[in-house]
Amino acid sequence: MTDMPYNRLGRSGLQVSALSFGSWVTFGTQVDTSLAKDCLTVARDAGVNFFDNAEAYAGGQSEQIMGDAIAELGWARHEYVISTKIFWGIHKGVPNMENTLNRKYLMQAIDGSLERLGLDFVDLLFCHRPDANTPIEETVWAMSDIVSAGKALYWGTSEWSADEIRAAWEIADRRNLHKPVMEQPQYNLFETRKVEKEYARLYEDIGLGLTTWSPLASGLLSGKYVDGIPEGSRASLPGYEWLKGLLTDEKKNGQVRELAELAARLDVTTSQLAIAWCAKNPHVSTVILGASTVDQVHENLGALTALERLDDDVLAEITGIIHPWTRG
Ligand code: NDP
């Protein structure tokens, strides 16, 4: 297999593997601790050093499973980079504990996450969404204090607007606080707006790094939905009905069929081609993979081979299939 490349996370000195592995939907719903251990091992053996999580995934169970799996595998703490993300909260109905980035929530949420993960610190801590009801300055101070306390090494944002990210960065700069260094946006062949347009100035201006999510648009870009919804797939899971419209979209599935033909000509799978396309963007520090089986992890890591085949002609062909005006 092709060697895993490592990229700097934006202007920070931290190196993350070009492909990483996350636990949304899967851990706690489709993946238990035993299967998590197998998936994590396959990823790590291929050179993956970054593992993504969030407080809200499976109501905290995802952090618990990843923490237990890593402990059982006996991984040394210096060998991997791990993240969590906080915003939604897991104490539903308790004032100050949900949908917020206020200081009280942030200070308590990080402690809960560390306890479930069984760790003293996370490497990356993300504000999972923006919070229009808390002054950005309050959030920046709290996140910076969490870093100063050694509970996180770097902090960043997820799905914030460019203006919000720049405002946070400027407050931190003025006050000599720890600055946000990374953002976690959605990025795939059907969803490109934030990464390619909205954040365009931030890469140079503030050295923003990106850990991008849903490279397969929840599985759509694997080609598994071209003939309907397979049993056991994400679109069939209770609670994820909201994804059905996207995953069974006829026009998009038609484009995926064309991508599949191109992938076959390149002797790679459709998933590998779609993931490699994300990794090809030089602003993307790491593409976070999702998988519900060990076979999917294996297949998706093979995107490194597809990456070597993505020359200008292939990229132009992909653009021809996924016309810019059909993208998000
Ligand atoms: P993808 O878009 O790659 O979707 C992954 C899902 O697609 C898998 O769980 C599986 O679902 C299906 N799949 C994956 N590989 C294959 C394959 N080779 N063949 C067929 N089906 C396949 O990524 P995710 O949406 O899972 O996102 C990746 C990570 O990004 C998450 O785990 C999380 O860490 C992060 N994330 C962050 C968000 C944020 O707000 N910051 C939001 C969402 C994700 P199935 O088998 O069930 O059909």
Side-chain angles (χ1 to χ4, degrees), residues 21-26 30 52-53 57 85 88 128-129 158-159 184-185 188 212-220 222 224-225 232-235 237 269 271 275 288-293 295-297 299-300:
F21 183 58
S23 59
W24 179 54
V25 183
T26 54
Q30 298 159 299
D52 185 62
N53 216 317
Y57 294 170
K85 306 188 281 289
W88 279 293
H128 210 157
R129 286 294 180 271
S158 179
E159 296 290 333
Q184 187 168 128
N188 57 55
T212 61
W213 59 269
S214 281
L216 297 179
S218 273
L220 170 64
S222 73
K224 73 194 300 172
Y225 293 102
S233 62
R234 185 173 290 184
L237 299 177
T269 70
S271 298
I275 292 165
I288 311 173
L289 307 176
S292 63
T293 65
D295 284 350
Q296 288 178 3
V297 183
E299 180 183 338
N300 297 350

Side-chain angles (χ1 to χ4, degrees), residues 54-263:
E55 175 198 43
Y57 294 170
Q61 265 191 74
S62 167
E63 290 177 326
Q64 190 79 50
I65 289 173
M66 193 179 273
D68 290 350
I70 289 175
E72 285 176 32
L73 289 166
W75 290 2
R77 185 66 187 88
H78 65 271
E79 287 175 349
Y80 63 93
V81 171
I82 194 166
S83 71
T84 197
K85 306 188 281 289
I86 49 184
F87 166 73
W88 279 293
I90 52 173
H91 302 291
K92 294 296 166 194
V94 179
N96 292 315
M97 285 296 123
E98 53 181 337
N99 305 339
T100 181
L101 295 175
N102 72 31
R103 185 176 181 85
K104 176 169 173 61
Y105 164 75
L106 294 174
M107 290 299 176
Q108 299 209 225
I110 181 61
D111 285 347
S113 287
L114 292 177
E115 200 179 323
R116 285 184 294 279
L117 287 165
L119 298 174
D120 298 329
F121 68 94
V122 287
D123 300 274
L124 310 182
L125 181 63
F126 293 86
C127 294
H128 210 157
R129 286 294 180 271
D131 168 19
N133 297 313
T134 299
I136 291 183
E137 182 154 9
E138 177 176 335
T139 299
V140 172
W141 272 105
M143 294 300 279
S144 181
D145 285 349
I146 289 171
V147 173
S148 295
K151 295 179 183 183
L153 304 186
Y154 302 86
W155 79 273
T157 57
S158 179
E159 296 290 333
W160 281 31
S161 70
D163 285 350
E164 289 162 333
I165 296 168
R166 189 183 290 277
W169 190 92
E170 285 175 352
I171 290 166
D173 192 43
R174 271 201 307 279
R175 304 224 178 252
N176 259 336
L177 301 172
H178 293 287
K179 298 181 181 111
V181 308
M182 71 284 176
E183 187 6 266
Q184 187 168 128
Q186 183 176 181
Y187 186 54
N188 57 55
L189 275 161
F190 290 123
E191 185 60 60
T192 58
R193 190 185 55 81
K194 272 190 149 64
V195 169
E196 294 186 1
K197 296 199 176 75
E198 185 174 344
Y199 298 157
R201 292 178 198 279
L202 296 178
Y203 307 123
E204 187 57 33
D205 289 0
I206 68 166
L208 189 72
L210 298 180
T211 69
T212 61
W213 59 269
S214 281
L216 297 179
S218 273
L220 170 64
L221 283 158
S222 73
K224 73 194 300 172
Y225 293 102
V226 292
D227 295 319
I229 299 179
E231 207 178 314
S233 62
R234 185 173 290 184
S236 74
L237 299 177
Y240 294 93
E241 293 79 8
W242 55 276
L243 275 172
K244 274 189 192 165
L246 165 73
L247 296 175
T248 58
D249 183 287
E250 260 181 50
K251 182 164 185 193
K252 289 191 165 76
N253 275 298
Q255 291 168 308
V256 173
R257 270 183 219 276
E258 288 184 59
L259 273 182
E261 286 167 23
L262 171 58

